[in-house]
Amino acid sequence: MALIVQKYGGTSVGSPERIKAVARRVAKWRRHGHDVVLVVSAMSGETNRLIALAKEIQAQPDPRELDAIASTGEQVTIGLAAMALKELGVAARSYTGAQVRVVTDSAFTKARILEIDEARLRADLDAGIVPVVAGFQGIDELGNITTLGRGGSDTTGVAIAAALKADECQIFTDVDGVYTTDPRIEPDARRLRTVTFEEMLEMASLGSKVLQIRSVEFAGKYRVRLRVLSSLTDPEIPIDEEAQSGTLITFEEDENMEQAVISGIAFARDEAKVTVMGVPDRPGIAYAILGPVGDANIDVDMIIQNASVDGLTDFSFTVPRGDFARAMGILDSVKAHIGARAIVGDNKICKVSMVGVGMRSHVGIASTMFRCLAEEGINIQMISTSEIKISVVVDEKYMELAVRVLHKAFDLDQPIA
Ligand code: ADP
Ligand code: ASP
Ligand code: MG
């Protein structure tokens, strides 16, 4: 008998029918003697609707109040899911983040989980009850409601699995696992049976939204066995088959695992580029430019400084698109002080990244990537690499083309030999 945390995302609980299907799946796992904690998201579209509603009152919603609003989507789903379980004769009880005591810091809209009180969950499990926990939400030390950032129910699921030392955390979603790239962009994308934790961490941080990055970080820190699988199969599929399905995130690169040089391609549209032109190339200039941006809590991702010509250089960096206007404003205000000729911005860029632990032992990946993009006439604006990834910034209009061309060039549509 195992203890399993099952998390279901928005589409998976998107209608009363889908919630009933979730209940049937949970009931099946209970029938086989397993303990289950159910974590659910808001019904699909609901969080967007709530945020849009808030913005009708306040263009820049007050973060504390926004969390009070955005968290309500999940509260509806826990009640519905607990009712659906009871209808099937499965003992269940719903919990908000505050009722469990999912304690977070006070960074509204992007709070981090500090601690989870597992006592009530444990008591329910011992009594044969399925706790149904609201994803995405928590409570800070002062009792304020917080949310964990978009896609944060994944993190609730993994954090609860870590707190309870569950045997596995199963992330049920609308695809049947982690693919070589988003199957919505590349229909020939292939499901990975396993992906290493490091690769998943890169893919999530580089834009693959199948798992929220913090959920992957949690899984790594607490060694939670994590699996991504489909909620759209028949809920009655044999449990042994289901337990092996989807994609398992692994912590070791073992010999028997499928091993491709490149495991996946991730992409992110939500970035923007800022270029500071004609600044004096002197010690301290990077700090003079990026210091004020960092002070405003804006994350800077890729950075490039060009070779200097006549003592002047250009300096480019990327920021989240949502912070673009703010970053431009900050630089305009320091332009005279840093002696820049001009500040130019581009918020129609995207980042395309190839990820694979095999890059450690293979050379020539970058040059193949650059050649393929050149053959399509796609201009590379920025490049960054790590041991297991290469990212390029290109014009947003080429994003899908770049993903498809690279997917084909690296044979990601082909089964591993
Ligand atoms: P949920 O509501 O269940 O949390 P999400 O929409 O957050 O679901 O995540 C699932 C989606 O992630 C898929 O529908 C798919 O379009 C997208 N996705 C992006 N990259 C990948 C990938 N590499 N593999 C699988 N799905 C991906
Ligand atoms: N409902 C939240 C969102 O839409 C959390 C989640 O679905 O994981 O971002
Ligand atoms: Mg999600």
Side-chain angles (χ1 to χ4, degrees), residues 7-12 41-42 44 151 153-154 171-185 189-190 192 200 203 207-212 228 231 264-267:
K7 176 262 169 178
Y8 291 82
T11 314
S12 310
S41 294
S44 59
S153 297
D154 296 334
I171 305 284
F172 283 90
T173 184
D174 55 6
V175 273
D176 63 350
V178 178
Y179 276 65
T180 46
T181 194
D182 189 340
R184 286 185 213 211
I185 298 284
R190 202 171 40 81
L192 301 165
M200 196 62 239
M203 281 171 71
S208 291
K209 67 167 192 160
V210 61
L211 285 177
Q212 197 201 34
V228 177
S231 71
I265 300 176
F267 50 84

Side-chain angles (χ1 to χ4, degrees), residues 134-255:
F136 182 53
Q137 52 172 263
I139 188 168
D140 72 3
E141 308 275 7
L142 300 170
N144 298 301
I145 294 171
T146 56
T147 67
L148 309 179
R150 298 308 304 270
S153 297
D154 296 334
T155 303
T156 307
V158 177
I160 286 179
L164 292 171
K165 300 189 176 55
D167 295 286
E168 188 165 291
C169 179
Q170 300 175 338
I171 305 284
F172 283 90
T173 184
D174 55 6
V175 273
D176 63 350
V178 178
Y179 276 65
T180 46
T181 194
D182 189 340
R184 286 185 213 211
I185 298 284
E186 173 50 271
D188 288 336
R190 202 171 40 81
R191 178 171 62 84
L192 301 165
R193 274 193 312 108
T194 61
V195 61
T196 69
F197 160 71
E198 278 180 291
E199 289 169 327
M200 196 62 239
L201 199 59
E202 287 282 11
M203 281 171 71
S205 80
L206 295 167
S208 291
K209 67 167 192 160
V210 61
L211 285 177
Q212 197 201 34
I213 172 99
R214 284 188 188 163
S215 71
V216 187
E217 289 169 355
F218 247 101
K221 189 162 173 197
Y222 298 99
R223 290 285 161 141
V224 176
R225 192 179 155 91
L226 183 59
R227 185 182 293 277
V228 177
L229 62 175
S230 174
S231 71
L232 303 179
T233 55
D234 177 352
E236 304 297 343
I237 68 164
I239 201 162
D240 296 340
E241 189 183 317
E242 185 154 60
Q244 298 295 319
S245 69
T247 301
L248 181 68
I249 286 74
T250 58
F251 293 100
E252 287 95 38
E253 289 164 42
D254 89 41
E255 307 266 295

Side-chain angles (χ1 to χ4, degrees), residues 143-396:
N144 298 301
I145 294 171
T146 56
T147 67
L148 309 179
R150 298 308 304 270
S153 297
D154 296 334
T155 303
T156 307
V158 177
I160 286 179
L164 292 171
K165 300 189 176 55
D167 295 286
E168 188 165 291
C169 179
Q170 300 175 338
I171 305 284
F172 283 90
T173 184
D174 55 6
V175 273
D176 63 350
V178 178
Y179 276 65
T180 46
T181 194
D182 189 340
R184 286 185 213 211
I185 298 284
E186 173 50 271
D188 288 336
R190 202 171 40 81
R191 178 171 62 84
L192 301 165
R193 274 193 312 108
T194 61
V195 61
T196 69
F197 160 71
E198 278 180 291
E199 289 169 327
M200 196 62 239
L201 199 59
E202 287 282 11
M203 281 171 71
S205 80
L206 295 167
S208 291
K209 67 167 192 160
V210 61
L211 285 177
Q212 197 201 34
I213 172 99
R214 284 188 188 163
S215 71
V216 187
E217 289 169 355
F218 247 101
K221 189 162 173 197
Y222 298 99
R223 290 285 161 141
V224 176
R225 192 179 155 91
L226 183 59
R227 185 182 293 277
V228 177
L229 62 175
S230 174
S231 71
L232 303 179
T233 55
D234 177 352
E236 304 297 343
I237 68 164
I239 201 162
D240 296 340
E241 189 183 317
E242 185 154 60
Q244 298 295 319
S245 69
T247 301
L248 181 68
I249 286 74
T250 58
F251 293 100
E252 287 95 38
E253 289 164 42
D254 89 41
E255 307 266 295
N256 306 322
M257 264 165 41
E258 51 184 318
Q259 206 46 272
V261 180
I262 303 298
S263 293
I265 300 176
F267 50 84
R269 265 197 199 89
D270 47 3
E271 303 219 5
K273 185 173 76 167
V274 177
T275 302
V276 182
M277 299 180 72
V279 281
D281 192 8
R282 57 168 170 82
I285 193 65
Y287 177 66
I289 294 172
L290 296 177
V293 178
D295 290 345
N297 249 328
I298 298 176
D299 286 333
V300 171
D301 179 18
M302 289 190 191
I303 305 171
I304 284 186
Q305 183 181 341
N306 283 338
S308 62
V309 178
D310 299 332
L312 295 181
T313 185
D314 297 340
F315 199 95
S316 296
F317 57 93
T318 59
V319 295
R321 204 175 277 185
D323 290 328
F324 175 63
R326 232 157 38 93
M328 288 295 284
I330 290 167
L331 284 162
D332 270 331
S333 69
V334 298
K335 182 177 159 199
H337 171 68
I338 58 182
R341 284 203 181 142
I343 315 285
V344 294
D346 182 355
N347 65 356
K348 296 268 184 297
I349 57 153
C350 69
K351 182 167 70 179
V352 177
S353 309
M354 297 203 309
V355 175
V357 288
M359 277 189 207
R360 287 199 180 111
S361 47
H362 286 75
V363 292
I365 308 293
S367 61
T368 306
M369 180 183 193
F370 303 156
R371 176 174 51 74
C372 292
L373 296 175
E375 281 168 5
E376 296 296 329
I378 302 174
N379 186 39
I380 300 172
Q381 304 179 19
M382 298 172 104
I383 300 168
S384 84
T385 64
S386 78
E387 231 191 342
I388 65 163
K389 75 115 200 277
I390 306 171
S391 301
V392 295
V393 165
V394 300
D395 190 319
E396 181 185 64

